Amino acid sequence: MIKYRAMIDCAGWAMSSTHTEDRARIEAFHTNGAAIMITISPGRNKGARAYMLTPGWAWWRKIPLPAVEAFVTRLEIPPKAKRPPVGSPCTCEKVKYPTRDRAMDTLTDITIKRVIKRNGVQSERSAYRCPCDDRVWHVTSQDPRMPKNDDDRR
Ligand SMILES: [Zn+2]
């Protein structure tokens, strides 16, 4: 993970990372809207996995680890990333967003519509990361949930 952090940091992406006993996650955003996520869960016997997202894509796609460097340094999309989007273990009966920004964009739209309607009905007002899947964000009418050991920057 350290080598990916250094690589992403060097390339100037806005990066955040989180680490618990049984898993670690790096998440980084390029100024053009591209995103990359690398997760590792040794406790669950899972090796490192990398996912990428570009502004034109609806969802994360899994990419081979050796392709991370080309994507991070030159925004090269590996041919193997062009397969169907990855699935999700999320079983929440909620709309899924791949990043906090996209979830927040929806909230902004909802707020604008509410203001236009002037009906004052409180609807979704915050975004939180899905407890089942790092790659999923939901919006909620509850106060923002702040899961332990998680960072909420994106
Ligand atoms: Zn969920």
Side-chain angles (χ1 to χ4, degrees):
M1 290 298 258
I2 291 167
K3 88 173 170 187
Y4 294 116
R5 286 179 64 148
M7 192 187 288
I8 292 166
D9 201 29
C10 261
W13 294 51
M15 179 170 56
S16 66
S17 59
T18 181
H19 194 272
T20 63
E21 244 172 53
D22 70 338
R23 61 196 318 254
R25 181 185 68 233
I26 297 171
E27 201 172 22
F29 298 85
H30 191 272
T31 49
N32 81 347
I36 187 161
M37 183 183 295
I38 301 170
T39 59
I40 186 163
S41 310
R44 285 177 239 167
N45 207 19
K46 285 182 181 173
R49 293 173 176 196
Y51 305 92
M52 61 181 285
L53 181 69
T54 71
W57 292 356
W59 201 253
W60 296 99
R61 295 183 191 194
K62 193 174 176 188
I63 60 169
L65 288 171
V68 167
E69 184 170 13
F71 180 60
V72 167
T73 57
R74 300 185 296 276
L75 289 173
E76 272 177 31
I77 297 167
K80 282 184 182 170
K82 287 175 184 166
R83 60 189 167 185
V86 293
S88 168
C90 164
T91 53
C92 312
E93 291 181 351
K94 285 180 157 276
V95 180
K96 298 180 184 69
Y97 301 94
T99 64
R100 184 171 193 273
D101 280 354
R102 292 203 194 175
M104 293 306 288
D105 285 350
T106 304
L107 289 176
T108 306
D109 287 347
I110 290 169
T111 304
I112 290 167
K113 281 175 193 152
R114 191 163 63 230
V115 168
I116 289 167
K117 278 188 183 170
R118 292 191 183 283
N119 61 8
V121 175
Q122 182 68 50
S123 58
E124 283 85 352
R125 63 175 189 185
S126 64
Y128 66 96
R129 193 188 297 274
C130 175
C132 314
D133 189 342
D134 281 351
R135 299 157 301 181
V136 175
W137 287 80
H138 301 301
V139 295
T140 178
S141 57
Q142 309 295 311
D143 285 329
R145 297 175 202 182
M146 301 291 281
K148 260 187 188 172
N149 299 318
D150 199 354
D151 79 54
D152 228 15
R153 283 197 282 168
R154 288 275 178 168

